[in-house]
Amino acid sequence: MSEVIATLKKDYIYNLMVKGKRQDGRGFKDFRDIKIETNIITKAEGSAKVTLGDTQVLVGVKLQIGTPFPDSLDEGVIITNLELNPIASPDFEPGPPKEEAIEMARVVDRGIRESGAIDLKKLCVTVGESVWIVFIDVHVLNDEGNIIDASCFAAIAALMTTIVPNEQQGIGDNVPLAMKEIPLGVTLAKIGSKLMVDPSLDEEAICETKLTIVSSSDGSVAGMQKMGSVSLTEAEVLEAIDLAREKATELRELYLEGLVRKG
Amino acid sequence: MSCMSDKTGKLITDDGSRLDGRRADEIRPMKIEIGVLSRADGSCYLEWGRNKVLVGVFGPREAHPRRMQRADTAVIRYKYNMASFSVEDRARPGPSRRSIEISKVSREAFEPVIMAELFPKTAIDIFVEVLQADAGTRTAAINASSIALADAGIPMKGLITSCAFGKVDGQIVLDLNKEEDNSGEADFPVAMTQDGEITLLQMDGHLTSEEIKKGLELVRKGCKEILEIQQAVLRRKFETPIEEPAKETSMEEISDIENKVVEAEVSMGYASEAKVVEEIHEEVKFFEEDILVKIAEEETVTEDIQEFEELKNKIEEPESLVEEKTLKEIIVAEIEEKADLKASLEINPKITEFEELELIEEEYFSSDAEKMTFESEEFAEDKTPLYEQSINEEVTSEKTFESKNELEFKDKSRKKVHAEEAVKVEEKYEKENSKGPWRVVKDPSESGSKGDKDE
């Protein structure tokens, strides 16, 4: 259904793009309004709800004791899961995660893992035997486009406010989860010859291809993923990297840096 | 994954070579076999370093389940599957989250080039089996799939080539192997079209934008090398061998233009004969151009002087005129002949086309020789003085040798030759009087050969 509507809107969005405009009046480099609420699920060790325009994503972080992976015996484990709940869109169906959901979950996971956001060494309880496993569960509540950026945002916000429940296991005091980095994902949609950040649902449906870039606070890139069936030129990729880094720095300062110590 | 922990040694030596002896910008050796599966529409087996990948392509075939069908295009399905024995620690069989993701991005890597819109309601299936994994299996699978698709005859806008770069010991290197991948700081697989458009891009690790820029350069170089390998493999299977020509082409063959062209057109498939046709076309073209140039020159009457000199000489030498007649003589003779034997005009229809003939005929019968001369002069108006002179002389000489002509025309075969001569001269007049090239696109040699044939 949304596919048909998007096709009808394609010309409209293209014509606006040519004039340098977007459907909702934003500039090409503007995000929609962002709202972050943390600690809203008290049963979870950490949680955050991010509202990006009308897109709503809720992330809950749970910690459990488990066994480490054989190749990293002294490190905690990160497991990320993302669900596109049927509540979020008429296009989502119940059942096991489809490839889109799996892909997004893995991109969020990679951003956190590769940037070294969590100090995994501090999650080791007994080397080779027990470590904390961090479950990051992303629940998409309402899909109005760009779920992936909202998910990255919510996941890192939730992690930054997570408490490690040591008391529950009788291994000391509860401490905030040790964080080393704040990775942020910024997605750009290629529409015609233009790249625009934070695509809305319609823009997402008609765009040729999307590129998600997860960058760290030092400006380095921790993860990238191209999604969609149209090619990109090298120049476009490099342009997207610069744009994504710039936007990530901006958003990090605005919304996340205050969260770090709060825990 | 298990072998990662205690690898702390240097992966790149001080002189810049890697554990397997490669330089930073070198890919691992690649071996490709095409058409290895008899039941698949297209297939490819690829070894890249220690990676072993097998790809089968099916379709376009009916899409099942039916709700998958698209009314306007074929659906492309890409299934990346790892054999459980392909990695150190046995992998759980069946699709994993990793393989689902790889399948999706790999499919998207091909969507820009596969001309799926040609096969609505069908499915094109690409099945990848990773038999042995040693880092870079998705890029290996894409390179193999590209060839398998071509082997299956699926229309594509070009081949897709894939290669990864990464960071090892702080250095940007091309095509990581397992050891490098395990302790590497970044992995950046890329797939691109032949034009260098990026159709797959993933990355994890830690890279600055300068490193990405440098890495993309390396990948471009790597992909170019792989593309050459892919093309060579496809050529080996599909290129028709060029056969040697049966014998060398001589000038006589070229001169027999018509026959050759017909002959060569039949067997255009062979490059060597196509070349002969090309040469012949060139030859003909050259001739035509030559004629056009000549015509253009004749219109300005500069080159023709020599020919008129010859004509003039003939007229001046009485002996030569006994054998070779001038136009006027022949016309006059013709008219005489016509008067006696009415049928003789049919010998060469060209003469009847000669408009002046009737006029002169009338004049002849009115026995107005003076008027005839005048007409001839008028006929030659706007020409050089030399030309006029020759015409005048022609007319004069005609009167002088009239009696001899009568004798000559008793020999019928001779008469025919003269008639042809007349055609030639007539053509010359036509050329000189024509204002456009369409009237005189006649090859002198061609009219000569025509005469031969008539005889």
Side-chain angles (χ1 to χ4, degrees):
Chain A
M1 186 64 161
S2 64
E3 236 174 67
V4 178
I5 293 165
T7 308
L8 295 172
K9 283 182 181 167
K10 197 165 186 169
D11 277 354
Y12 171 62
I13 295 171
Y14 258 82
N15 291 335
L16 282 175
M17 179 274 293
V18 172
K19 289 180 210 154
K21 288 180 190 167
R22 289 171 80 169
Q23 227 179 348
D24 46 16
R26 282 184 288 157
F28 291 165
K29 294 183 185 180
D30 295 342
F31 262 85
R32 289 169 290 181
D33 292 338
I34 299 171
K35 199 173 103 192
I36 302 177
E37 299 157 78
T38 51
N39 287 326
I40 54 169
I41 311 288
T42 49
K43 287 271 181 186
E45 275 71 59
S47 62
K49 185 185 168 204
V50 165
T51 312
L52 178 60
D54 288 327
T55 294
Q56 293 175 50
V57 171
L58 174 65
V59 170
V61 176
K62 290 293 283 180
L63 270 78
Q64 274 177 18
I65 293 288
T67 50
F69 278 120
D71 60 348
S72 47
L73 296 169
D74 59 345
E75 288 179 4
V77 175
I78 306 168
I79 292 173
T80 311
N81 191 49
L82 184 145
E83 269 186 54
L84 298 172
N85 296 311
I87 200 175
S89 163
D91 298 329
F92 298 162
E93 282 167 22
K98 307 253 175 358
E99 57 180 22
E100 286 80 13
I102 291 170
E103 183 183 36
M104 281 194 268
R106 287 176 62 83
V107 173
V108 173
D109 180 90
R110 241 179 273 155
I112 292 164
R113 190 184 300 276
E114 299 295 335
S115 66
I118 304 172
D119 191 347
L120 291 173
K121 300 261 192 229
K122 294 202 171 145
L123 292 176
C124 177
V125 180
T126 317
V127 177
E129 277 175 32
S130 65
V131 295
W132 284 108
I133 299 173
V134 182
F135 289 93
I136 305 167
D137 286 297
V138 183
H139 271 239
V140 179
L141 304 178
N142 196 45
D143 177 19
E144 278 292 345
N146 203 13
I147 291 168
I148 193 156
D149 286 4
S151 302
C152 286
F153 218 91
I156 197 69
L159 287 170
M160 288 166 86
T161 54
T162 293
I163 301 290
V164 181
N166 285 328
E167 286 167 18
Q168 176 198 318
Q169 298 293 321
I171 45 169
D173 296 336
N174 287 355
V175 290
L177 183 64
M179 298 294 288
K180 294 196 294 186
E181 186 51 75
I182 308 172
L184 256 191
V186 174
T187 298
L188 297 105
K190 184 189 173 191
I191 296 178
S193 56
K194 290 282 192 297
L195 294 168
M196 38 189 87
V197 299
D198 184 25
S200 68
L201 190 62
D202 286 334
E203 287 168 344
E204 213 166 43
I206 67 132
C207 76
E208 278 105 8
T209 213
K210 286 190 294 177
L211 183 61
T212 300
I213 295 150
V214 185
S215 54
S216 306
S217 40
D218 65 350
S220 66
V221 181
M224 280 168 85
Q225 183 93 340
K226 175 185 165 294
M227 293 171 271
S229 50
V230 169
S231 59
L232 289 169
T233 63
E234 197 179 310
E236 281 167 341
V237 171
L238 296 174
E239 186 195 332
I241 290 170
D242 286 344
L243 193 52
R245 287 164 62 214
E246 181 195 318
K247 289 312 288 185
T249 307
E250 202 181 302
L251 294 176
R252 197 177 291 116
E253 281 170 10
L254 265 173
Y255 298 99
L256 294 171
E257 276 177 356
L259 279 175
V260 180
R261 318 253 178 260
K262 244 196 225 169
Chain B
M1 273 192 178
S2 64
C3 52
M4 181 178 157
S5 49
D6 39 282
K7 283 269 175 194
T8 44
K10 273 188 126 185
L11 290 164
I12 299 179
T13 59
D14 292 330
D15 65 343
S17 71
R18 291 148 77 176
L19 285 182
D20 51 11
R22 284 183 291 155
R23 312 292 302 179
D25 62 348
E26 275 181 278
I27 58 169
R28 287 171 284 181
M30 189 184 277
K31 188 189 131 193
I32 302 176
E33 276 176 59
I34 189 168
V36 289
L37 305 174
S38 66
R39 297 298 301 276
D41 294 315
S43 59
C44 177
Y45 172 74
L46 183 142
E47 282 184 17
W48 192 5
R50 275 171 288 175
N51 286 308
K52 296 182 200 301
V53 177
L54 184 63
V55 178
V57 169
F58 294 82
R61 62 180 180 181
E62 192 179 358
H64 274 299
R66 276 193 129 188
R67 63 187 158 79
M68 276 202 87
Q69 292 183 359
R70 296 270 306 272
D72 57 342
T73 180
V75 290
I76 299 163
R77 296 186 291 204
Y78 190 106
K79 287 276 171 284
Y80 169 101
N81 187 43
M82 262 186 147
S84 54
F85 48 79
S86 64
V87 282
E88 206 118 339
D89 301 328
R90 181 176 181 271
R92 250 184 76 189
S96 64
R97 288 163 68 84
R98 175 178 171 273
S99 71
I100 290 169
E101 186 203 354
I102 291 176
S103 297
K104 179 185 181 283
V105 293
S106 303
R107 184 192 71 228
E108 288 172 350
F110 280 101
E111 278 172 345
V113 292
I114 295 177
M115 296 163 86
E117 65 279 4
L118 298 176
F119 309 103
K121 293 188 175 182
T122 65
I124 297 167
D125 285 307
I126 305 156
F127 296 121
V128 175
E129 287 293 326
V130 177
L131 307 176
Q132 183 171 294
D134 192 65
T137 51
R138 81 195 68 184
T139 53
I142 288 168
N143 290 327
S145 301
S146 198
I147 292 170
L149 281 163
D151 185 34
I154 308 282
M156 291 194 284
K157 292 166 191 163
L159 292 171
I160 292 288
T161 308
S162 184
C163 189
F165 79 85
K167 192 158 88 170
V168 177
D169 285 354
Q171 273 194 55
I172 299 298
V173 295
L174 197 59
D175 184 28
L176 306 188
N177 63 23
K178 191 71 192 168
E179 289 79 24
E180 292 168 334
D181 192 37
N182 284 339
S183 51
E185 295 134 78
D187 185 24
F188 198 126
V190 175
M192 53 175 69
T193 64
Q194 286 173 242
D195 306 326
E197 300 247 307
I198 295 164
T199 64
L200 176 143
L201 188 154
Q202 291 184 289
M203 180 246 165
D204 60 70
H206 181 99
L207 291 172
T208 64
S209 58
E210 284 69 37
E211 287 169 332
I212 292 172
K213 216 178 254 181
K214 195 183 167 199
L216 285 173
E217 258 172 55
L218 278 188
V219 158
R220 196 169 289 279
K221 179 184 170 286
C223 281
K224 204 180 152 222
E225 281 172 36
I226 296 162
L227 179 66
E228 277 162 16
I229 298 169
Q230 287 175 315
Q231 286 173 333
V233 168
L234 288 171
R235 253 189 235 118
R236 204 161 62 221
K237 177 165 184 192
F238 292 107
E239 203 169 55
T240 314
I242 296 169
E243 280 173 26
E244 286 299 310
K247 53 173 178 161
E248 286 207 4
T249 315
S250 67
M251 283 308 289
E252 288 119 74
E253 277 177 85
I254 292 170
S255 72
D256 198 359
I257 290 164
E258 282 184 353
N259 290 346
K260 261 292 171 216
V261 170
V262 172
E263 203 179 286
E265 269 172 357
V266 177
S267 52
M268 279 294 258
Y270 297 95
S272 59
E273 288 186 43
K275 207 182 164 196
V276 172
V277 178
E278 233 167 69
E279 279 170 12
I280 291 160
H281 282 314
E282 289 281 298
E283 197 84 11
V284 172
K285 217 167 148 190
F286 174 76
F287 262 126
E288 284 174 357
E289 275 169 11
D290 198 40
I291 292 158
L292 287 173
V293 167
K294 265 192 181 165
I295 288 158
E297 282 168 351
E298 279 170 10
E299 285 212 42
T300 59
V301 195
T302 51
E303 291 282 309
D304 232 357
I305 293 165
Q306 203 190 336
E307 282 180 52
F308 280 105
E309 291 282 12
E310 278 171 26
L311 199 61
K312 196 177 143 194
N313 289 340
K314 281 174 194 166
I315 292 158
E316 278 166 357
E317 289 169 45
E319 279 91 348
S320 73
L321 271 167
V322 175
E323 283 170 5
E324 294 179 60
K325 305 298 162 204
T326 62
L327 175 70
K328 286 290 167 191
E329 287 167 340
I330 289 153
I331 290 165
V332 169
E334 196 66 52
I335 293 159
E336 280 182 329
E337 189 84 348
K338 202 175 156 193
D340 296 334
L341 314 152
K342 298 278 179 190
S344 68
L345 259 178
E346 296 302 311
I347 289 167
N348 196 327
K350 290 228 168 175
I351 291 172
T352 59
E353 285 166 27
F354 192 37
E355 285 173 10
E356 293 295 317
L357 189 66
E358 279 184 319
L359 186 66
I360 296 164
E361 190 180 355
E362 278 170 34
E363 284 158 6
Y364 179 80
F365 284 113
S366 66
S367 302
D368 195 344
E370 265 177 28
K371 198 186 173 187
M372 198 172 125
T373 316
F374 171 71
E375 286 290 343
S376 299
E377 273 171 353
E378 207 174 48
F379 183 62
E381 75 180 348
D382 296 335
K383 299 295 162 194
T384 60
L386 183 67
Y387 180 88
E388 271 177 44
Q389 197 190 342
S390 71
I391 293 290
N392 288 335
E393 275 165 5
E394 235 176 87
V395 176
T396 337
S397 55
E398 173 224 305
K399 285 172 188 168
T400 323
F401 296 100
E402 209 168 19
S403 58
K404 276 182 185 172
N405 290 342
E406 277 173 30
L407 277 168
E408 284 301 319
F409 282 109
K410 279 166 189 167
D411 186 340
K412 209 183 175 184
S413 68
R414 277 216 69 83
K415 195 200 132 278
K416 221 177 171 185
V417 174
H418 289 305
E420 277 153 24
E421 195 69 32
V423 173
K424 279 188 197 171
V425 179
E426 173 214 332
E427 277 168 6
K428 195 195 293 289
Y429 279 161
E430 271 186 26
K431 277 180 206 169
E432 281 155 12
N433 288 313
S434 66
K435 294 284 178 272
W438 55 87
R439 278 196 65 194
V440 270
V441 187
K442 274 174 192 161
D443 191 343
S445 63
E446 197 182 290
S447 72
S449 69
K450 235 180 199 169
D452 291 341
K453 269 181 198 164
D454 285 344
E455 264 184 66

